[in-house]
Structures are given as structure tokens and as C-alpha cells.
């Protein structure tokens, strides 16, 4: 039985206001990923199984980390937050924020409304998101050696919700905390996967790299 390490992608295009334009790494995002890849090689981390979502930012992060031939699985993709937020604004008047402070207030409201079915016409329901994440994690499993999975913050927060039994407000707080290229590790303890590492960025802890500890 082996562990699963989830990695959030590097910093994306923070100036974007839609899904398509957000989905590419910034130069800092590439650098964060290169530093993480170097850290994993220097510490002789062994990951015979490599996965990522099909989004550009996932594939670019894996490439800059030096991960070879990841299995691409769309179930590992992020929620379409921009599209859900746009529907939330149209239906309930919750204006999409343009700064981090506004986003910190907006995300929990959006998650709560989405989970309770108060936003209609979303690309997927909260229950569908929950099911695909559960299915992907189950299929990756813990056989065949340690696995590394490049994905997104919202998906990682859903994984933490599932393994810890969190409510939606707690899941939203987890999502807000997750840094770019942070690592989150699950170990099989008994019949359950349990978190043993959360939001770790050892590759960004040196004083001259702390500026790269980004959330957005």
C-alpha cells in the first residue's frame, strides 16, 4: 500500500476573468513548478505513478516539474469557478470580485449556494463534482507504488472534505488556504485514506523564495 501526493498547479494567469484565459501558467508558476521538481529529485522522492488533469495549467505544471508522461484524467480537473460565479451573479446579484480580499468572501458564499442547489445551470452539480473526485481517487488507489497527482485547489479541498468528513464551509476554508505547487499527502491507515501532509511548500521556504508562496 502506497501514498498519494496531490500537487496544486503553479500560479496561473491571475489577471484572467474567464476559464480559458486563466488556464495557463504565469512565469512564476513555471518557476514554482521547477523548484518543486528539483526538490523532489534532490530528496529522491519516488513516484512510479504520475497523474494530472487535462487542463493546460496541470500539464504545464507537470512538465515544468520534470514529470514524464503523466496519465491525464479529466476527473482531476478543477471546477469551472468563473462560470459558476457568473451564474451566481446573474441569478443572485453576487458580484464577482476582482481582488483577493473579495475572493476570500466570495468563494464560501459560492460554494454554499452551489452545494445547496441555489445556482441553476452550472456545468456540473456539487454532487457530480463530489462523485467524480471520489471515483478518480478510488481508481488511482494505493497499489503499484506512490502516486503523484497534479491538479487544482478546489479539487484538493474536495479530497480533504471526503477524507476528513468536512462540511461545505470548512471545505471552502481549506480551498482558500491552498498555495500554488503545495503538496498534500494521503496515506492508507486501516481501510481509509488519511491526510498526513497538507499545504507543504518546502521548495518555497528559503528566504529568497518566500515571495513565491502564492494563493492566486
Amino acid at each position: 500500500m502506497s501514498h498519494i501526493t496531490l500537487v496544486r498547479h503553479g500560479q496561473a494567469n491571475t489577471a484572467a476573468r474567464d476559464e480559458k484565459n486563466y488556464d495557463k501558467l504565469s512565469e512564476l508558476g513555471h518557476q514554482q513548478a521547477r523548484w518543486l521538481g528539483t526538490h523532489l529529485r534532490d530528496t529522491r522522492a519516488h513516484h512510479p505513478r504520475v497523474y494530472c488533469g487535462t487542463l493546460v495549467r496541470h500539464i504545464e505544471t507537470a512538465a515544468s516539474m520534470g514529470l514524464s508522461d503523466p496519465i491525464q484524467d479529466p476527473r482531476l480537473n478543477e471546477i469551472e469557478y468563473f462560470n459558476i460565479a457568473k451564474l451566481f451573479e446573474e441569478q443572485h446579484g453576487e458580484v464577482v470580485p476582482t481582488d483577493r480580499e473579495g475572493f476570500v468572501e466570495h468563494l464560501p458564499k459560492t460554494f454554499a449556494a452551489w452545494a445547496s442547489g441555489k445556482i441553476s445551470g452550472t456545468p456540473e452539480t456539487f454532487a457530480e463534482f463530489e462523485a467524480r473526485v471520489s471515483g478518480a481517487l478510488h481508481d488511482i488507489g494505493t497499489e503499484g507504488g506512490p502516486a503523484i497527482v497534479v491538479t487544482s485547489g478546489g479539487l484538493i479541498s474536495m479530497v480533504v472534505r471526503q477524507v476528513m468528513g468536512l462540511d461545505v464551509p470548512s471545505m471552502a476554508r481549506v480551498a482558500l488556504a491552498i498555495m500554488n505547487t503545495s503538496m498534500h499527502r494521503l496515506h492508507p491507515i486501516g481501510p481509509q485514506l488519511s491526510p498526513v501532509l497538507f499545504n507543504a511548500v518546502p521548495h518555497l521556504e528559503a528566504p529568497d523564495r518566500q515571495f513565491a508562496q502564492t494563493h492566486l
Side-chain angles (χ1 to χ4, degrees):
M1 303 289 278
S2 301
H3 61 259
I4 300 171
T5 300
L6 302 164
V7 175
R8 185 189 177 197
H9 61 79
Q11 184 190 64
N13 179 19
T14 58
R17 292 296 176 264
D18 60 62
E19 303 292 342
K20 181 179 179 180
N21 287 309
Y22 179 72
D23 191 25
K24 58 184 176 181
L25 293 191
S26 67
E27 181 48 47
L28 177 58
H30 281 288
Q31 182 61 70
Q32 291 165 330
R34 287 192 290 268
W35 279 331
L36 176 55
T38 298
H39 168 77
L40 293 174
R41 288 187 292 275
D42 287 348
T43 56
R44 299 183 181 180
H46 177 57
H47 296 102
R49 300 184 299 132
V50 182
Y51 300 83
C52 71
T54 62
L55 298 176
V56 172
R57 58 190 184 272
H58 298 158
I59 296 167
E60 288 184 340
T61 298
S64 287
M65 288 174 64
L67 300 176
S68 59
D69 300 320
I71 296 171
Q72 297 180 22
D73 187 337
R75 295 177 299 174
L76 298 171
N77 288 351
E78 181 63 294
I79 62 173
E80 294 184 24
Y81 189 84
F82 286 105
N83 291 335
I84 294 171
K86 183 178 179 181
L87 291 169
F88 194 24
E89 180 174 6
E90 291 172 353
Q91 295 170 24
H92 299 281
E94 289 287 347
V95 178
V96 181
T98 58
D99 56 18
R100 173 164 173 76
E101 291 71 22
F103 183 69
V104 167
E105 294 185 5
H106 186 265
L107 185 144
K109 291 180 181 178
T110 304
F111 273 21
W114 181 38
S116 61
K118 294 180 180 177
I119 308 174
S120 61
T122 54
E124 63 183 336
T125 66
F126 187 86
E128 288 168 341
F129 175 50
E130 193 162 29
R132 72 167 163 94
V133 172
S134 177
L137 202 62
H138 176 270
D139 289 349
I140 291 170
T142 54
E143 300 293 339
I148 191 164
V149 180
V150 179
T151 181
S152 290
L155 187 138
I156 293 170
S157 73
M158 174 57 81
V159 171
V160 176
R161 164 181 162 82
Q162 292 177 352
V163 299
M164 294 295 292
L166 301 182
D167 59 17
V168 174
S170 298
M171 173 187 165
R173 290 197 297 273
V174 167
L176 289 168
I178 295 173
M179 289 186 281
N180 295 113
T181 62
S182 56
M183 294 185 289
H184 312 256
R185 186 163 297 139
L186 305 172
H187 266 271
I189 300 177
Q192 305 287 339
L193 284 171
S194 297
V196 297
L197 187 72
F198 174 76
N199 218 21
V201 286
H203 56 299
L204 303 178
E205 290 179 350
D208 62 343
R209 294 184 184 180
Q210 291 177 6
F211 74 94
Q213 294 181 10
T214 59
H215 294 85
L216 296 177

